[in-house]
């Protein structure tokens, strides 16, 4: 791997709240893939525009997959990565689904560690902040043929981020979409690919104009079973102690945060189950007060409480639109492990020593 020298690097300046995905570090990792050479030309270069052929496949048939994970500043000044091996495994599953070449997980983690180490001063030491890590693979092959690609580019960039929701740990309003769907069984919903997002942003904009912040997606076939909220997995709390989340259906993304909550929750005194959740039953349970909390889970927000759902012209408020104790407890327990404030009994973190 070549580490190119930087001309005039920007000095590290981290604002109180860096926002989400609006500022970047000075460097990025890049490599190329061709059929004859495999992955090659690994380098760390200045963060900046990527030059590509106007006929690059990614621009015409959307061959692009990505990941999202974070680096956290520990109290001792070193840096933690959280379950990055799960992200790498998922990226390789996405690659298979899109006919793209895989990247050896340990090799890829090595690139991430090297890049974060070089850019370690950009890992914020502020509450709720971290360094977002975004690996991307896309087909750079110039062709209009609709088929698997033969030339790819892989890059990794870093973005100092604040809390995902500008309003802080405040419950969001969620509109349940019955007109539009995110993914269908047999489609690409389990892959982290740009196509899954392209169809959602206009829908999100429509609900925003009606006063909602997020969209809850139902299954595409029966339009009855709950799948995901925005780009997060969703969980509900029954009677204050049982956490239930939609079972992986073939169109739900396998979230690392979801997986972590399911594993950790029993150790915090909760029971968990993965079920097919009927939207009408769930809303009836909210109305009866049997469902005491709902929240999204994902790397960006960690835990994002839902204050109310809107569906077919009716509103369903949860826990007086306040953050509930289960969401709070899970958020604290998970972030304590991520930031290295608490012991990590699960072996989920990898430390990058910079001190
Ligand atoms: C990335 C993503 C999630 C959350 O996954 P994490 O690994 O927990 O960050 C959930 N749903 C969708 C659609 C996603 O793209």
């Amino acid at each position: 791997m070549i580490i190119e020298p930087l001309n005039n690097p920007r000095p590290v300046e981290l604002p109180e709240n860096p926002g989400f995905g609006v500022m970047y570090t000075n460097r990025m990792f890049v490599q190329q893939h061709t059929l004859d050479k495999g992955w090659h030309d690994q380098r760390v270069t200045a963060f900046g525009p990527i030059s590509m052929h106007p006929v690059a496949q990614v621009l015409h048939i959307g061959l692009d997959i990505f990941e999202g994970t974070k680096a956290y500043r520990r109290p001792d000044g070193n840096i933690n990565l959280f379950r990055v091996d799960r992200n790498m495994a998922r990226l390789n599953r996405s690659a298979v689904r899109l006919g793209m070449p895989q990247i050896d997980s340990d090799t890829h983690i090595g690139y991430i560690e090297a890049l974060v180490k070089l850019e370690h001063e950009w890992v914020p030491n502020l509450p709720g902040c971290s360094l977002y890590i975004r690996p991307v693979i896309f087909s750079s092959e110039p062709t209009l043929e609709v088929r698997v690609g033969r030339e790819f580019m892989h890059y990794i960039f870093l973005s100092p981020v604040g809390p995902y929701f500008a309003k802080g740990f405040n419950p969001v309003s969620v509109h349940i979409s019955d007109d539009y769907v995110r993914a269908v069984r047999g489609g690409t919903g389990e892959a982290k690919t740009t196509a899954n997002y392209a169809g959602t942003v206009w829908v999100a904009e429509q609900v925003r104009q009606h006063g909602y912040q997020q969209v809850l997606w139902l299954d595409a076939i029966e339009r009855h079973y709950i799948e995901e909220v925005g780009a997060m997995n969703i969980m509900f709390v029954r009677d204050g102690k049982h956490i239930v989340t939609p079972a992986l259906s073939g169109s739900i993304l396998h979230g690392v945060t979801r997986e972590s909550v399911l594993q950790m929750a029993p150790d915090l005194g909760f029971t968990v189950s993965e079920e097919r959740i009927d939207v009408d039953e769930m809303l009836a349970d909210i109305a009866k007060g049997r469902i005491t909390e709902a929240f999204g889970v994902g790397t960006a927000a960690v835990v994002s409480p839902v204050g109310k759902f809107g569906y077919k012209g009716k509103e369903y408020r949860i826990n007086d639109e306040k953050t509930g104790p289960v969401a709070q407890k899970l958020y604290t327990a998970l972030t304590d492990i991520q930031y290295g404030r608490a012991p990590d009994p699960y072996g989920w973190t990898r430390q990058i020593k910079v001190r």
Side-chain angles (χ1 to χ4, degrees):
M1 177 165 83
I2 295 165
I3 297 171
E4 295 176 353
L6 287 177
N7 301 321
N8 304 318
R10 277 174 307 127
V12 178
E13 271 178 51
L14 292 167
E16 200 65 23
N17 185 349
F20 199 93
V22 291
M23 59 181 295
Y24 315 99
T25 74
N26 286 323
R27 297 174 170 96
M28 61 183 186
F29 170 88
V30 182
Q31 66 173 337
Q32 314 292 331
H33 188 280
T34 50
L35 291 184
D36 53 333
K37 287 201 219 163
W39 287 113
H40 64 279
D41 199 17
Q42 291 83 14
R43 58 185 67 227
V44 173
T45 186
F47 177 82
I50 291 168
S51 149
M52 71 174 107
H53 196 286
V55 192
Q57 261 190 325
V58 64
L59 300 174
H60 304 275
I61 59 171
L63 289 182
D64 179 297
I65 59 174
F66 63 96
E67 268 304 325
T69 183
K70 282 172 168 176
Y72 306 87
R73 181 72 70 182
R74 298 168 49 87
D76 63 12
N78 289 314
I79 293 164
N80 272 352
L81 297 178
F82 180 76
R83 306 197 77 182
V84 66
D85 55 317
R86 301 302 297 146
N87 294 90
M88 298 300 102
R90 186 170 67 195
L91 183 72
N92 282 336
R93 291 197 304 271
S94 300
V96 169
R97 179 64 181 80
L98 279 280
M100 292 182 169
Q102 301 184 51
I103 301 173
D104 174 72
S105 175
D106 290 336
T107 308
H108 197 168
I109 293 171
Y111 299 146
I112 290 173
E113 285 178 338
L115 183 64
V116 171
K117 199 158 186 171
L118 280 166
E119 299 286 69
H120 72 266
E121 288 172 73
W122 293 92
V123 181
N125 189 13
L126 297 162
C129 298
S130 54
L131 185 69
Y132 189 78
I133 303 166
R134 168 58 61 92
V136 180
I137 308 175
F138 68 87
S139 170
S140 52
E141 184 192 352
T143 178
L144 286 178
E145 288 176 27
V146 181
R147 56 155 171 76
V148 294
R150 293 170 188 158
E151 287 170 29
F152 298 90
M153 179 172 172
H154 167 222
Y155 65 103
I156 308 168
F157 69 89
L158 307 174
S159 172
V161 295
Y164 190 68
F165 293 103
K167 282 163 91 190
F169 203 52
N170 276 331
V172 294
S173 56
V174 173
H175 191 267
I176 302 174
S177 176
D178 55 351
D179 287 340
Y180 301 98
V181 296
R182 185 194 84 92
V184 61
R185 209 155 62 227
T188 53
E190 286 189 344
K192 218 167 171 73
T193 178
T194 45
N196 294 336
Y197 287 81
T200 68
V201 291
W202 175 81
V203 181
E205 188 54 32
Q206 301 307 300
V207 309
R208 218 164 277 138
Q209 285 174 13
H210 289 90
Y212 292 93
Q213 291 154 284
Q214 295 276 329
V215 182
L216 185 117
W217 304 104
L218 299 178
D219 79 278
I221 297 166
E222 290 162 271
R223 308 276 178 104
H224 241 287
Y225 299 101
I226 292 175
E227 299 233 307
E228 302 205 49
V229 60
M232 288 179 284
N233 294 113
I234 181 129
M235 299 190 168
F236 300 91
V237 180
R238 280 197 197 126
D239 304 320
K241 54 187 191 297
H242 183 77
I243 299 169
V244 55
T245 192
L248 297 172
S249 61
S251 47
I252 292 176
L253 192 102
H254 297 211
V256 178
T257 318
R258 174 188 183 279
E259 188 181 309
S260 305
V261 167
L262 288 177
Q263 193 177 332
M264 194 171 69
D267 297 333
L268 299 172
F270 303 113
T271 50
V272 297
S273 63
E274 298 170 71
E275 297 174 16
R276 211 152 82 134
I277 305 175
D278 181 291
V279 65
D280 292 326
E281 285 173 20
M282 188 273 293
L283 292 172
D285 281 349
I286 291 176
K288 281 186 244 161
R290 271 211 67 198
I291 285 179
T292 49
E293 289 180 50
F295 44 85
V297 296
T299 297
V302 189
V303 173
S304 171
V306 176
K308 67 175 177 194
F309 287 109
Y311 187 52
K312 297 191 195 281
K314 271 191 167 165
E315 291 214 317
Y316 302 81
R317 297 173 74 221
I318 307 170
N319 196 40
D320 279 336
E321 296 187 49
K322 292 205 231 5
T323 297
V326 180
Q328 185 67 60
K329 198 165 171 180
L330 290 171
Y331 177 84
T332 304
L334 204 51
T335 54
D336 280 352
I337 292 175
Q338 289 170 334
Y339 284 87
R341 294 188 292 253
D344 169 15
Y346 311 105
W348 284 342
T349 52
R350 290 170 82 100
Q351 215 182 119
I352 302 178
K353 293 248 195 243
V354 294
R355 289 284 133 86

